[in-house]
């Protein structure tokens, strides 16, 4: 019996696997990311009916959550079959982003979803409108009132989904889609807010949509060490 136990012990010892845990640490950076919307910036150059600029910022609060927001200014002239008007104003959006992407090692890419609350103050300039007149040989009379409606405002909730990819050191290129729901809308008398800065068109009622392309720069403020345990086995 003792001989059998001794033989079994020797056998187990010969096939024993020794394991060693190696602990590796690398820093996770926390700080502020600031960027500009390339779409609005470029459109201001090639579209004579539009001028706009949007600045975005996001602060990394935890591993996954970012406090985020945008501030911007837009001037848009719409030439419709019935009227011509110009909307001009500023907007501010604040909320958060959640990064659902699990980065490897020291990667800092984002696949994020988020929520914003947006507020806009603006004015509407009614440049002209058309009235159909059956007694007129041409059928349409064009009126040029050049009437301005100021002191307007609106607010909305915005759902955001997008990506940000690191191009090179601290520089990121991103894209996002935005779905909006109008919460409040102060309209001028005898007119409507058909375009709201930051919200986009209101032709679909309380719902709106938009997108942006961003180029941003990350400003690191401090670091936290992220620990990984890699198990290596030696036979």
């Amino acid at each position: 019996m003792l001989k059998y136990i001794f033989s079994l012990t020797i056998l187990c010892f010969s096939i024993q696997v020794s394991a060693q845990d190696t602990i590796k640490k690398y820093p996770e950076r926390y700080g502020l990311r600031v960027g500009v919307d390339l779409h609005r910036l470029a459109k201001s150059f090639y579209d004579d009916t539009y001028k706009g600029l949007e600045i975005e910022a996001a602060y990394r609060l935890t591993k996954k959550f970012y406090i985020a927001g945008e501030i911007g200014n837009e001037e848009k002239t719409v030439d419709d079959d019935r009227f011509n008007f110009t909307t001009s104003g500023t907007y501010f959006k604040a909320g958060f982003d959640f990064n659902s992407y699990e980065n490897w090692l020291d990667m800092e890419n984002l696949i994020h979803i988020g929520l914003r609350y947006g507020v806009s103050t603006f004015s509407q300039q009614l440049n002209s409108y058309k009235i159909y007149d059956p007694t007129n040989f041409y059928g349409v009379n064009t009126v040029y009132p050049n009437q301005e409606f100021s002191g307007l405002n609106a607010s909305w909730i915005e759902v955001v989904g997008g990506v940000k990819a690191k191009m090179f050191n601290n520089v990121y290129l991103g894209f996002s889609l935005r779905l909006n729901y109008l919460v409040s809308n102060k309209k001028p008398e005898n007119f409507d807010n058909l375009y709201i800065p930051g919200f986009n068109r209101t032709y679909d009622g309380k719902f709106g949509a938009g997108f942006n392309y961003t180029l941003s720069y990350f400003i690191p403020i401090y670091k936290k060490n992220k620990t990984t345990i890699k198990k290596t086995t030696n036979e």
Side-chain angles (χ1 to χ4, degrees):
M1 183 66 178
L2 291 175
K3 183 178 179 181
Y4 175 78
I5 295 175
F6 180 79
S7 300
L8 183 60
T9 302
I10 295 298
L11 178 62
C12 291
F13 181 79
S14 64
I15 62 172
Q16 181 181 10
V17 177
S18 62
Q20 181 182 5
D21 291 340
T22 302
I23 299 177
K24 292 186 176 182
K25 294 183 178 180
Y26 60 88
E28 283 188 324
R29 303 191 303 169
Y30 288 72
L32 181 66
R33 181 181 289 109
V34 180
V36 62
D37 181 6
L38 298 177
H39 170 66
R40 285 178 170 84
L41 187 62
K43 190 175 180 180
S44 300
F45 288 97
Y46 68 78
D47 189 346
D48 294 335
T49 66
Y50 179 85
K51 292 180 181 179
L53 178 67
E54 179 180 284
I55 304 297
E56 67 157 16
Y59 179 77
R60 188 179 186 183
L61 189 63
T62 67
K63 178 182 177 181
K64 294 289 187 180
F65 280 93
Y66 295 74
I67 298 174
E70 296 84 21
I71 185 170
N73 179 277
E74 286 186 311
E75 181 180 303
K76 172 71 173 177
T77 298
V78 177
D79 189 13
D80 194 82
D81 292 337
R82 296 165 295 172
F83 43 72
N84 181 293
F85 68 91
T86 301
T87 303
S88 178
T90 60
Y91 61 91
F92 174 75
K93 297 183 280 187
F96 69 89
D97 285 333
F98 175 80
N99 184 20
S100 60
Y101 183 72
E102 190 66 38
N103 283 293
W104 289 14
L105 301 178
D106 58 348
M107 293 174 60
E108 295 173 326
N109 299 322
L110 285 83
I111 300 177
H112 61 90
I113 56 174
L115 195 67
R116 303 282 192 277
Y117 188 82
V119 177
S120 179
T121 59
F122 55 97
S123 64
Q124 302 275 15
Q125 175 79 29
L126 180 58
N127 302 316
S128 64
Y129 62 91
K130 298 175 182 179
I131 301 175
Y132 178 73
D133 185 358
T135 63
N136 188 343
F137 177 78
Y138 296 100
V140 175
N141 287 327
T142 303
V143 181
Y144 300 91
N146 290 320
Q147 185 177 5
E148 182 178 2
F149 306 95
S150 59
L152 307 175
N153 59 75
S155 64
W156 64 92
I157 296 173
E158 185 170 291
V159 179
V160 183
V163 298
K164 280 185 172 63
K166 187 175 182 179
M167 305 300 293
F168 45 90
N169 191 28
N170 294 335
V171 177
Y172 296 78
L173 189 63
F175 171 80
S176 68
L177 293 173
R178 284 127 190 286
L179 299 177
N180 310 326
Y181 179 78
L182 202 58
V183 175
S184 65
N185 184 15
K186 182 180 178 181
K187 300 179 181 180
E189 187 177 355
N190 299 324
F191 196 55
D192 198 356
N193 294 325
L194 301 177
Y195 188 93
I196 298 174
F199 180 88
N200 215 332
R201 301 192 321 174
T202 62
Y203 290 18
D204 298 322
K206 289 191 172 185
F207 291 94
F211 66 93
N212 64 7
Y213 294 98
T214 57
L215 182 67
S216 56
Y217 184 83
F218 179 71
I219 305 171
I221 298 176
Y222 66 95
K223 298 178 181 179
K224 285 185 179 180
N225 283 334
K226 180 177 179 180
T227 303
T228 59
I229 299 177
K230 181 180 180 181
K231 179 174 285 188
T232 58
T233 57
N234 299 315
E235 296 187 0

